[in-house]
Amino acid sequence: MKIKEPDAEKWGINGGIGIISSRLAVEGPLIKNKLSFLAAGRASFNDFLFKIAPPNLRGTKANFYDVTTKLKYQPDEKNTITLTGYISKDIFKLASDSLSGQEINASSTQFNYQTSNAVLRWNYFMNKQVNLATAVILSRYRANLSSPDSSNAFQLESGVWHKQIKSDLTFTPNETHQWQVGLSAIDYLIQPNTRTPGPYSNVLPVDLDRERAYELAAYIQDEWKINTNVALVAGLRYSALLSRGPATVRTYQENGPRQDETVTSTQTYGAGKIYHSTGGLEPRLAIRWSVGEGKAIKAGYSRLRQYIQQVTNTTAALPTSRWHLSDQYTKPVIADQWSLGYFRNTSDNAIEVSGEVYYKTLTNAIDYRDGAELQLAQAVETQIVQGKGQAYGFEGLLRKNKGRWTGFMSYTFARTFLTMDSPYTSERVNNGNPYPANYDKPHTLNVLATHRPTAWFSMSLNFTYSTGRPTTQPAAIARVAGVLVPIYVDRNQQRVPDYHRLDFSMTFEQNPLKKKKNQSSWVFSVYNVYAHKNAYSIFYKLSPASATDAYKLSIFGTAFPSLTYNFKF
């Protein structure tokens, strides 16, 4: 994604004021054609909607804001310097009685997520053949979960810090070849979880050790136009991860599972000390073959290594995640993907059609072991397992770009299966047999239709559907010392209900025949037109009579109308 270039010649303001959210953007020259600036912000002020919502939603909070800025300096034709910044925050809290009588504390828990980043980029256009782009990137993601209950009050914080410098050199010796080479260095810092008790809480404090590592990479790539019909892109990248201290590393028994009981020793490494490294080559190849006017066949292969993982335990009513870097016990996930696609546009670009199939293998795929306690485990390697996986699917798109009716329809069929087999029972999932991954959703359909009968009025319908994600349902319950305990059998063999929603909107614009410097429009929309109660989460209430009493938590299970006034001048 790229932030738009600020206008270097004149100032402008645009925005919108709405019931759900509002936005405002300002851009213009500080020094004409040399130094320009852009600032844009969005925010929601919709708490009042929950006050008039059904009783079980009153008291719910669902707010966000974000701010984007960009400063562009172009002292001459060869140099361009940009500084961009972004910050966002999301707040979510359930109403106090939305889960009443269902024996979970989600109603008193507030979730805050915050992302911020800054990028300083210098582009040096040496000549028509050589261009150098260098960037310094700072990024931070923080998540905060807080519960105000006096006896069990706590705050749970986690975060990911990303610092990077990279440089890319593009060399175009002729019309046939374009070479690219680049270097990158990333400094990772992960705060897994820190739990801080409230003033009078019975909860104990926990502060997990930070994880630190460097990721270094270099690549070379050639875009080769073999002839007028065939083009090829071939590249090779090498990346490596260097884990560094301060850190305390455990050693486990050689012939046994990784558990707290099998630890034989620990070793402490000082700040900056490299105690483990891993890496490898990442080739990629793509070919495009034009088989007629507006028709093309594309095929490709790529290998990717992922050194930072998000491990999620989806058994909670309101799931949370834990971030983890690869180390001597957690190998990087390696994905090898093959794809083949057909793409076609009509001569006037009125209709676009595309279809692509893919197959992917996963090496060192990661998941949590049965009974894992991810959030506050001191040694996360005792809670996760690694194995293999495979993914395959089809993606199709039909788009109409011209006429009174425009829009698109996209369909995706996607399957992902994991196999976690091990000589040790505690590290085996589903008895070592394949099972759907947490994110396996076979069918996804999106349809957008826009009708513009006049130049000043249009209306749109947007429909989305997706298969519910997998979940694991208790198969039975047992009573142990008077306490009911759920018994689970195979993982991810059930699914939450399918997700589907219809949105509607009408836009009233100014008559384009009346030329005005200032522009405005009104947008009336309805989110979730037929008020379908899509499941945010599925959870279970233990009962001696049944182990499968499931409850569906729906956050916006009703139709939400909105009115927005847009302006530009």
Side-chain angles (χ1 to χ4, degrees), residues 417-493:
F417 294 93
L418 303 179
T419 303
M420 301 293 165
D421 200 2
S422 171
Y424 312 112
T425 303
S426 63
E427 295 182 350
R428 215 177 288 152
V429 177
N430 200 24
N431 294 319
N433 298 314
Y435 62 94
N438 291 335
Y439 43 86
D440 176 74
K441 296 195 294 184
H443 304 285
T444 301
L445 174 68
N446 290 286
V447 181
L448 172 65
T450 300
H451 180 49
R452 182 179 286 275
T454 68
W456 54 269
F457 172 74
S458 65
M459 59 181 179
S460 296
L461 287 171
N462 178 53
F463 176 76
T464 181
Y465 166 87
S466 64
T467 307
R469 63 176 178 81
T471 187
T472 306
Q473 178 178 308
I477 56 173
R479 188 182 296 274
V480 180
V483 178
L484 296 177
V485 179
I487 298 175
Y488 298 92
V489 184
D490 293 334
R491 184 176 297 184
N492 289 352
Q493 301 304 303

Side-chain angles (χ1 to χ4, degrees), residues 78 123-127 129-133 168-171:
K78 290 190 174 183
N123 192 78
Y124 179 34
F125 182 74
M126 300 181 186
N127 52 53
Q129 293 181 319
V130 184
N131 185 75
L132 177 67
D168 303 281
L169 180 69
T170 302
F171 174 53

Side-chain angles (χ1 to χ4, degrees), residues 503-548:
D503 303 329
F504 169 76
S505 68
M506 293 188 300
T507 302
F508 300 86
E509 302 175 79
Q510 289 180 335
N511 191 333
L513 299 178
K514 298 179 180 180
K515 302 295 183 180
K516 291 186 177 181
K517 182 178 180 181
N518 302 331
Q519 301 176 19
S520 63
S521 64
W522 287 91
V523 179
F524 171 75
S525 63
V526 181
Y527 174 90
N528 195 9
V529 171
Y530 52 84
H532 181 63
K533 296 183 181 297
N534 287 299
Y536 176 79
S537 181
I538 298 293
F539 56 97
Y540 305 91
K541 179 179 178 181
L542 295 180
S543 169
S546 173
T548 58

Side-chain angles (χ1 to χ4, degrees), residues 105 109-110 144-157 194-199 201 203-204 375-376:
N105 289 327
T109 302
Q110 180 167 301
N144 180 287
L145 182 155
S146 60
S147 177
D149 182 25
S150 59
S151 61
N152 295 298
F154 69 91
Q155 282 197 358
L156 189 69
E157 294 182 316
T194 299
R195 186 173 69 185
T196 305
S201 175
V203 175
L204 296 176
Q375 282 190 346
L376 298 174

Side-chain angles (χ1 to χ4, degrees), residues 210-230:
R210 275 52 171 174
E211 299 179 20
R212 300 171 175 86
Y214 297 118
E215 181 184 333
L216 307 177
Y219 79 93
I220 183 170
Q221 176 178 285
D222 180 29
E223 296 184 25
W224 179 21
K225 294 182 181 178
I226 299 175
N227 54 47
T228 56
N229 294 324
V230 181

